[in-house]
Amino acid sequence: MAELILRDLAKTYPGASTRATDDVSLDVADGEFMVLLGPSGCGKTTLLRMVAGLELPDAGQIVIGGKDVTYLEPRRRNLSMVFQSYAVFPNKKVADNIGFGLRMRGVPADGVRRKVEWAADLLQLRPYLDRYPSRLSGGQRQRVAVARAIVMDADILLMDEPLSNLDALLRLNFRAELKKLVAELGTTTLYVTHDQVEALSLGDRVAVLRDGVLVQCGPPGAVYDEPADEFVGGFLGSPPMNFLTGTVCTDEGRPRVDFGGQSVPVPAALSSYHGKRLRLGIRPEAIQLGDGGGLRGELQVLEPLGASALLTTDVCGQTIKVQAPATFRAEPGRRLALRLPVDQCRWYDPETSLLLEVR
Amino acid sequence: MTIDVRDPVRPAPMLPPVDVAPLRRARLRATGVQAACVAVSLFMALPIVLIGLAAVSSRAALAEFPKPLVPSEFALDSLLSFLRATGTLPALGNSVLAGLYAVFWSLVVGAPAGYALARHAFRGKDAYQMFILLVRALPIVVLSVPLATMFLRLDVYDTVLAVTLVHTALALPTTVLITASIFVSVPADLEEAAQVFGCTRWQAARRVVVPLALPGLAASSIFTFVLSWNELLGATVVTLGHRTLPAQVLTSLAEASVAYRFAGGFALILPALLFIFVMRRYLLNLWGTTLR
Ligand SMILES: Nc1ncnc2c1ncn2[C@@H]1O[C@H](COP(=O)(O)OP(=O)(O)OP(=O)(O)O)[C@@H](O)[C@H]1O
Ligand SMILES: [Mg+2]
């Protein structure tokens, strides 16, 4: 167990015109579960590989447990990793795959066996210990990769989308299992995913990457509630945050933002935007369906989703998605009153897309 | 018991009859392929069988025509007389040794080169790949005469070592290219995983890459062995007294009887076949399906 510190890590692949990671700095505390979240190709795997020592950074520093490991060989870093492509050894049986790292470390045979069986029970791999990986399904192979990583009791556990090949139900169960397991192990974990639900459910903190740049890092609740920019707001949450563009005007001395005939109040701190455009961000579940006040939207589509209903409404030509109770029924074309609670509204600069602090 | 889920009110729609024509076509094609395989195998195996039969027939039976499929009487005397002839057994030994040494050295030198070609992008890689094949573009005669001079000066002329060196040089281009293509097919992340879990680069190569590359290494070693076994010109130029088997058979063939020639031919085929049979085990992948 150890803390992990990344400082200004920059990496450009040979021949590439853009940086795969661009000055990424991140501190992961001892025992913390840090999730790296971002869309495909944003540099998550690259970052993880640099921590593992499989890729050397062009600039920056990596420190594990107070020791600089920036250019150290992978095997001297005392970490273990679940590869995105599993990287399960096809020439070794499942049991030998799981025990590989321990055996390399010189752990005696019965110690290895005990650990392997422990991990196999945990990941429901017991019936497959004697098989070669070519005779496993993708999800089973992935579990072998996870088992191989957790038996190591390493300082740092790196996981690159370890749940991506499980079916929805198994993933749900496995996610909870994994959370419990890692909490018990207490290992410092860096976990890569592009699944925002996974990120929110697992992480002590979530770090959002975009095009190699770290956009926001914080506890899941904070990242979800106050996305640092429109990208984060749009990436986290399903359906994503709504964004509306309006112009700031003054009505009876109070600043309001006008969407073209309809307007909502704006915090006084933003009155300096008078006459300028402003972006309003609000989560679909934060919008209340009321009898009056707020915005009037025309219902266009109603999608029952089981636990809730998703409404697509039109407000002055802009689309707002609203999460309504499952029992909500209305015909398309009906006009709905949408109340936007002031404390749920987030304000963004249209030029920079950055969150405007209004407190 | 089965539950009928069809709607009782609506009758089942009329379905067209099952069309078995594609299945029949596929079966026909498979039969065709099998026939072709048999034909090719016969074409390859027949001469070997005939030589083998002739080698174990008595001298009298050799003259018979048409020949019976199974020789009327087995007679090992021509084979034995071939083996007893002066120089045959030592030459056989030389050939086997030169072949095995050539396999060993071409793998030791060639496989790392193939690995480098497979794993690393470096300047002049394409040129290097072309250049490596150039060895084969030079006629062996052109190569072996200066080699013979050099071997004489280095005092290795007329030794198995000399033959080994020539054959290794001849086999290296194919070894490098075959092993390069097999190393490409071993995923690099397996090696990386091995490194993360405590291996040095060397250990990762030995424990993960080599076992997975075994079929390719076997193919390449068969290729080298057969090349060395059959190579005549270079081996003749760089030896005098310590001939390899083909060179030995060639020099003594002119004055030999027909029976002796068949026996010699059979003795030439057999060890190469044996080697291929032993290596065949590694040619087929040991872990069920293809890699990964
Ligand atoms: N070996 C490589 N050589 C050149 N470019 C690469 C290499 N590996 C990745 N890249 C590029 O670097 C960028 C980041 O890739 P990376 O694999 O880190 O993405 P990722 O966030 O893990 O994506 P995903 O979620 O799809 O796995 C991508 O634009 C990719 O094209
Ligand atoms: Mg990735």
Side-chain angles (χ1 to χ4, degrees):
Chain A
M1 262 148 277
E3 61 173 346
L4 168 69
I5 299 173
L6 313 182
R7 277 285 168 276
D8 303 323
L9 282 180
K11 170 82 190 175
T12 311
Y13 283 106
S17 54
T18 53
R19 288 182 171 185
T21 66
D22 198 353
D23 291 340
V24 174
S25 294
L26 197 61
D27 289 13
V28 189
D30 190 358
E32 191 179 24
F33 197 121
M34 174 70 83
V35 176
L36 281 177
L37 177 68
S40 186
C42 70
K44 308 181 294 290
T45 299
T46 306
L47 199 60
L48 214 60
R49 287 172 56 84
M50 286 195 284
V51 176
L54 299 169
E55 212 78 64
L56 297 181
D58 300 334
Q61 193 182 18
I62 303 168
V63 177
I64 296 177
K67 182 171 160 231
D68 178 86
V69 299
T70 314
Y71 299 114
L72 203 65
E73 302 98 304
R75 73 196 163 92
R76 294 190 197 280
R77 298 188 179 202
N78 192 22
L79 42 79
S80 63
M81 180 165 178
V82 180
F83 285 73
Q84 185 167 14
S85 52
Y86 331 136
V88 168
F89 306 123
N91 57 328
K92 296 189 189 307
K93 290 185 173 164
V94 169
D96 297 330
N97 259 291
I98 300 177
F100 183 83
L102 294 175
R103 209 158 314 106
M104 285 308 300
R105 218 187 248 173
V107 176
D110 67 316
V112 173
R113 211 198 54 233
R114 223 169 319 115
K115 266 292 191 154
V116 167
E117 284 174 0
W118 167 78
D121 284 340
L122 215 58
L123 297 169
Q124 297 161 30
L125 287 169
R126 202 55 185 264
Y128 312 113
L129 282 179
D130 267 335
R131 285 202 195 172
Y132 282 110
S134 60
R135 292 185 49 225
L136 295 182
S137 73
Q140 289 164 344
R141 262 179 251 184
Q142 204 157 36
R143 277 182 278 157
V144 174
V146 173
R148 182 175 64 179
I150 60 170
V151 294
M152 292 295 289
D153 291 327
D155 283 344
I156 310 276
L157 182 56
L158 305 174
M159 296 203 239
D160 201 344
E161 310 202 10
L163 305 186
S164 58
N165 271 288
L166 307 181
D167 66 54
L169 189 62
L170 198 56
R171 185 189 305 208
L172 202 67
N173 292 334
F174 203 57
R175 201 168 67 201
E177 285 292 321
L178 196 69
K179 187 164 184 169
K180 199 171 96 199
L181 173 69
V182 175
E184 276 167 17
L185 292 174
T187 315
T188 311
T189 305
L190 197 54
Y191 183 104
V192 163
T193 180
H194 59 238
D195 181 344
Q196 41 100 16
V197 181
E198 220 169 279
L200 294 174
S201 75
L202 284 174
D204 291 331
R205 279 194 297 159
V206 178
V208 186
L209 274 176
R210 175 181 144 202
D211 296 340
V213 181
L214 187 61
V215 196
Q216 188 174 10
C217 177
V223 176
Y224 186 81
D225 264 357
E226 291 186 21
D229 67 6
E230 289 185 26
F231 164 77
V232 178
F235 192 70
L236 255 76
S238 164
M241 198 175 221
N242 293 299
F243 292 101
L244 297 167
T245 311
T247 312
V248 179
C249 56
T250 314
D251 182 35
E252 296 169 4
R254 294 252 173 76
R256 295 177 75 84
V257 59
D258 179 77
F259 300 111
Q262 301 193 50
S263 65
V264 291
V266 168
L270 294 176
S271 41
S272 61
Y273 271 78
H274 182 81
K276 292 193 195 142
R277 284 145 65 78
L278 195 61
R279 294 271 278 171
L280 161 68
I282 185 157
R283 293 270 173 208
E285 66 272 21
I287 300 173
Q288 295 166 358
L289 291 166
D291 323 300
L295 299 171
R296 289 177 316 280
E298 187 185 299
L299 179 63
Q300 292 184 316
V301 185
L302 187 152
E303 299 167 75
L305 298 177
S308 63
L310 182 62
L311 317 182
T312 306
T313 62
D314 179 279
V315 175
C316 304
Q318 304 192 61
T319 301
I320 299 187
K321 301 248 184 203
V322 181
Q323 193 171 322
T327 50
F328 183 88
R329 288 287 173 272
E331 289 302 313
R334 216 180 93 187
R335 297 184 74 73
L336 304 170
L338 311 176
R339 219 169 63 72
L340 317 182
V342 177
D343 61 330
Q344 299 285 338
C345 292
R346 305 285 172 262
W347 303 97
Y348 295 88
D349 186 299
E351 311 266 299
T352 61
S353 294
L354 291 178
L355 180 70
L356 299 169
E357 296 286 345
V358 291
R359 261 161 300 183
Chain B
M1 200 186 93
T2 56
I3 299 166
D4 196 352
V5 294
R6 271 172 302 179
D7 191 338
V9 184
R10 240 184 319 166
M14 280 297 286
L15 295 179
V18 176
D19 183 10
V20 291
L23 188 63
R24 220 178 289 137
R25 276 201 298 276
R27 286 210 182 119
L28 205 65
R29 221 172 299 134
T31 317
V33 169
Q34 296 232 322
C37 286
V38 169
V40 171
S41 306
L42 276 181
F43 180 74
M44 309 284 246
L46 212 56
I48 298 179
V49 171
L50 286 181
I51 292 179
L53 284 180
V56 296
S57 302
S58 65
R59 272 156 209 258
L62 263 187
E64 258 174 47
F65 197 85
K67 291 197 192 311
L69 211 55
V70 179
S72 45
E73 46 177 323
F74 277 100
L76 292 176
D77 49 312
S78 52
L79 252 185
L80 286 178
S81 75
F82 169 77
L83 289 179
R84 282 203 202 96
T86 34
T88 303
L89 280 182
L92 185 71
N94 288 344
S95 261
V96 170
L97 277 186
L100 293 180
Y101 288 161
V103 166
F104 178 77
W105 285 113
S106 66
L107 280 182
V108 165
V109 179
Y115 180 84
L117 273 180
R119 281 286 187 270
H120 303 291
F122 52 87
R123 207 177 304 177
K125 181 167 157 176
D126 293 340
Y128 174 72
Q129 256 166 310
M130 280 302 293
F131 181 75
I132 227 172
L133 275 174
L134 266 181
V135 179
R136 299 312 304 267
L138 287 176
I140 297 177
V141 195
V142 177
L143 276 178
S144 36
V145 175
L147 270 181
T149 332
M150 203 167 78
F151 288 161
L152 274 172
R153 208 171 301 147
L154 294 176
D155 211 18
V156 292
Y157 185 78
D158 196 20
T159 57
V160 171
L161 176 64
V163 181
T164 304
L165 286 176
V166 173
H167 289 175
T168 304
L170 289 178
L172 266 179
T174 43
T175 306
V176 171
L177 295 183
I178 293 177
T179 53
S181 67
I182 199 77
F183 284 136
V184 163
S185 75
V186 177
D189 56 8
L190 292 180
E191 234 170 304
E192 293 172 348
Q195 286 181 49
V196 166
F197 288 101
C199 290
T200 60
R201 292 204 64 158
W202 171 245
Q203 284 173 320
R206 209 186 63 69
R207 283 167 179 262
V208 177
V209 182
V210 169
L212 290 174
L214 218 50
L217 299 180
S220 151
S221 67
I222 286 180
F223 201 86
T224 304
F225 187 85
V226 172
L227 180 145
S228 163
W229 188 261
N230 288 332
E231 203 282 328
L232 180 61
L233 207 49
T236 320
V237 176
V238 299
T239 58
L240 199 63
H242 299 87
R243 286 275 144 100
T244 57
L245 194 58
Q248 178 68 28
V249 171
L250 195 75
T251 47
S252 56
L253 220 53
E255 61 256 32
S257 67
V258 176
Y260 184 86
R261 287 183 199 177
F262 277 124
F266 190 55
L268 269 179
I269 294 171
L270 210 55
L273 274 185
L274 265 178
F275 185 80
I276 293 176
F277 266 108
V278 171
M279 293 315 272
R280 205 182 71 107
R281 208 163 85 70
Y282 302 102
L283 261 187
L284 310 173
N285 199 312
L286 293 174
W287 302 284
T289 56
T290 46
L291 293 178
R292 183 189 273 273

